Amino acid sequence: MKILYSLILLSPIYVMAATEYDIVPRTINFFIFIAILYYFSANFFKNFYKNRIIKISSKIDEIQKNLLESKAKKIDIMKKIEEAKANSVAAISMAKKEADIYMQKIKEEAQNEVTLLEQNFEDQKKYELRKMKKEVVSCALQEIFEDIRLKQNEIIDIISKKVS
């Protein structure tokens, strides 16, 4: 069958051979040259092509491996980001609770201090009132006793009248 195809393909060459050209021997020489060239260089080109395919496939495998590693790293980083977000939310809520607790403590301490200051103020006010009363009574008594300078005889008469 191959021979039939080759004869059909070479039929135009035989038609041209009827003329005065030497096309048939040249064509046969060309095919022989191509066959010899194919025979000696086919393995080289096949090996070159196979090696090129192997290099490309190894590079693709390496790229796939790097891609999978980077996807795994991306997933890990995303998990860490989610954990960090959750931790930050928890830290913020804890900080708010602590701030509320500290604020409550400060309010209680301030209230206690205000109460203590009010008590001290009331005590100081009472003390000052007693002190002022004593001073007023003392001043009043001094004025009274300065006006009444009694002699010893007069005091004895007054006491004896009271006794009797």
Side-chain angles (χ1 to χ4, degrees):
M1 192 83 172
K2 284 186 173 183
I3 297 172
L4 182 62
Y5 285 128
S6 56
L7 287 176
I8 293 173
L9 289 175
L10 295 176
S11 63
I13 296 172
Y14 289 122
V15 171
M16 294 174 86
T19 61
E20 299 175 6
Y21 297 110
D22 61 343
I23 190 89
V24 173
R26 284 186 183 205
T27 307
I28 292 171
N29 284 341
F30 178 73
F31 283 126
I32 292 171
F33 175 73
I34 294 296
I36 292 171
L37 187 66
Y38 177 76
Y39 178 75
F40 286 115
S41 64
N43 286 334
F44 173 76
F45 285 114
K46 284 181 187 177
N47 290 337
F48 176 76
Y49 185 67
K50 285 181 185 178
N51 288 338
R52 182 77 176 135
I53 289 173
I54 290 170
K55 279 184 183 178
I56 291 172
S57 67
S58 67
K59 289 220 181 217
I60 289 174
D61 291 341
E62 187 178 328
I63 291 171
Q64 290 284 357
K65 181 182 171 187
N66 289 341
L67 181 65
L68 291 175
E69 287 176 1
S70 65
K71 283 183 181 180
K73 286 180 183 178
K74 179 183 175 185
I75 290 171
D76 288 342
I77 289 172
M78 294 300 267
K79 286 179 183 178
K80 287 179 182 179
I81 288 173
E82 291 300 320
E83 287 177 14
K85 284 181 182 179
N87 289 342
S88 66
V89 169
I92 289 172
S93 66
M94 186 178 288
K96 285 182 181 179
K97 288 178 183 177
E98 287 179 2
D100 290 341
I101 291 170
Y102 285 135
M103 187 172 60
Q104 192 65 27
K105 282 183 181 179
I106 290 171
K107 280 183 181 179
E108 289 174 4
E109 288 175 2
Q111 189 64 33
N112 291 340
E113 196 169 325
V114 166
T115 305
L116 186 65
L117 286 173
E118 285 176 352
Q119 285 178 347
N120 286 341
F121 175 73
E122 289 299 321
D123 291 344
Q124 187 69 25
K125 193 166 79 170
K126 288 178 183 177
Y127 172 76
E128 290 296 325
L129 279 173
R130 279 186 270 143
K131 186 177 169 185
M132 283 180 18
K133 283 181 184 177
K134 283 182 182 178
E135 286 181 14
V136 168
V137 169
S138 164
C139 284
L141 286 177
Q142 276 184 352
E143 285 180 16
I144 291 173
F145 283 127
E146 281 182 13
D147 290 344
I148 308 175
R149 295 217 173 181
L150 298 175
K151 296 180 185 170
Q152 192 170 7
N153 289 338
E154 291 176 349
I155 295 174
I156 293 175
D157 284 341
I158 292 174
I159 292 175
S160 54
K161 285 181 184 177
K162 280 285 189 183
V163 172
S164 49

